[in-house]
Amino acid sequence: MRRTHWILLFVSALQAAPNSTLAQAVQTLSPVNIARDLRSGDRDRIASALSHIPLKLDPSAHIEWGFPDEYLVPPEVSSGLIAALAREADLYMDGATVLADTHPELVIELMHYVVALRDPASVPILLRLLGTGTLVRDALLSFGPDVISDLADVAVSAEAHADHVRGALLALRDAAARFESRLTPSVRRSMRRAAILNLDGVPGRLGSVRERSSALVGAIILAEQLRDPDVTARLVRIAGGTGDPGMAWIPDDVRARAADVLRRLR
């Protein structure tokens, strides 16, 4: 049984039988000891520590992971979860290390707990996990438009992984839609810069065609939301640039995607 399913069964049992010995199991480790294990660097101890922290899944919620209403996360446990995810994120980038371990999904499990914290202190580590999908993007946007500048920094970073760049661009698209009336001119400029840099496919910024294409698709999706003349002009160049040496590297399916966006913008 996957650990995530086990967590849900565990929480259900706690709610069904609050006075049982199972309900008391969550108290078998003190917050100090849980935090110690989370910071231990030992993946077995980290995984075990998670079993002492109740977590719930609410598919109807915008961010579906949370803690039971009666559970207040102790500060040391909160910081321990963030620290454990930060370490696990480094291992996640080294896939061979994680896959060879007995806890291949630990980064995902920790992510669920950290997202459930709703703690601004988690923003830096969540930014490092932008390539993992919608959950992290939604969690970051839950902190409001102030996070947009951080997302834009990832989108233009020369060091960021291509999947993180794409994730940042998709988050910027979502932010433009969600916070449209609250975007300052400065924030709009940062979003525009992120789109243009990736639409231009700056040579050498991302190594392979796959990486550059991944970022480019994210920028195309953002461009549709921005509706900026300079950004749209780059879509025209991408969609019809078969004779443009600077656009020769772009795959046909990516050109077609740009053309689709242009049709919707007209």
Side-chain angles (χ1 to χ4, degrees):
M1 181 181 294
R2 290 180 55 175
R3 183 178 181 85
T4 298
H5 297 163
W6 185 91
I7 291 170
L8 298 179
L9 291 174
F10 178 72
V11 173
S12 297
L14 287 176
Q15 294 171 338
N19 296 318
S20 69
T21 55
L22 178 59
Q24 298 167 12
V26 75
Q27 302 299 330
T28 57
L29 277 186
S30 70
V32 171
N33 287 336
I34 292 173
R36 178 202 61 203
D37 287 349
L38 289 171
R39 292 178 176 276
S40 68
D42 183 321
R43 301 181 86 227
D44 287 329
R45 288 174 63 185
I46 293 169
S48 177
L50 294 182
S51 68
H52 295 274
I53 308 171
L55 187 68
K56 69 175 183 179
L57 176 66
D58 180 2
S60 66
H62 181 63
I63 299 177
E64 57 190 10
W65 293 98
F67 297 103
D69 293 340
E70 66 275 12
Y71 179 71
L72 295 179
V73 184
E76 61 269 40
V77 172
S78 178
S79 61
L81 286 167
I82 294 171
L85 182 58
R87 178 182 180 276
E88 194 66 21
D90 291 335
L91 296 176
Y92 175 76
M93 296 306 294
D94 179 7
T97 299
V98 173
L99 292 176
D101 198 273
T102 55
H103 303 288
E105 295 186 353
L106 186 57
V107 67
I108 303 300
E109 295 175 39
L110 281 164
M111 193 187 306
H112 293 162
Y113 282 90
V114 170
V115 164
L117 291 173
R118 315 287 197 267
D119 186 343
S122 67
V123 168
I125 182 55
L126 292 177
L127 289 168
R128 291 170 55 196
L129 292 164
L130 270 167
T132 59
T134 304
L135 176 63
V136 167
R137 297 200 301 269
D138 285 345
L140 284 165
L141 293 182
S142 72
F143 296 111
D146 288 346
V147 79
I148 293 175
S149 59
D150 294 320
L151 293 169
D153 286 344
V154 174
V156 301
S157 171
E159 289 78 35
H161 188 279
D163 291 340
H164 298 170
V165 172
R166 178 173 172 145
L169 291 164
L170 294 177
L172 288 172
R173 182 274 311 271
D174 295 342
R178 185 179 304 185
F179 307 122
E180 183 175 6
S181 63
R182 300 163 62 186
L183 300 179
T184 66
S186 174
V187 166
R188 290 182 185 277
R189 285 194 296 271
S190 70
M191 298 171 82
R192 179 178 177 275
R193 176 173 175 250
I196 287 175
L197 179 71
N198 288 284
L199 288 170
D200 285 347
V202 178
R205 178 165 172 267
L206 297 172
S208 67
V209 169
R210 189 207 69 80
E211 290 175 335
R212 293 168 70 186
S213 295
S214 177
L216 180 55
V217 169
I220 290 169
I221 293 170
L222 172 59
E224 182 171 8
Q225 186 64 46
L226 292 180
R227 295 177 177 268
D228 176 274
D230 289 339
V231 173
T232 301
R234 284 166 168 81
L235 290 181
V236 173
R237 184 181 175 210
I238 291 166
T242 53
D244 185 336
M247 300 285 104
W249 65 272
I250 300 175
D252 290 343
D253 62 324
V254 177
R255 293 186 192 281
R257 188 152 195 169
D260 287 342
V261 169
L262 283 171
R263 280 191 287 272
R264 290 193 291 272
L265 288 176
R266 287 169 180 160

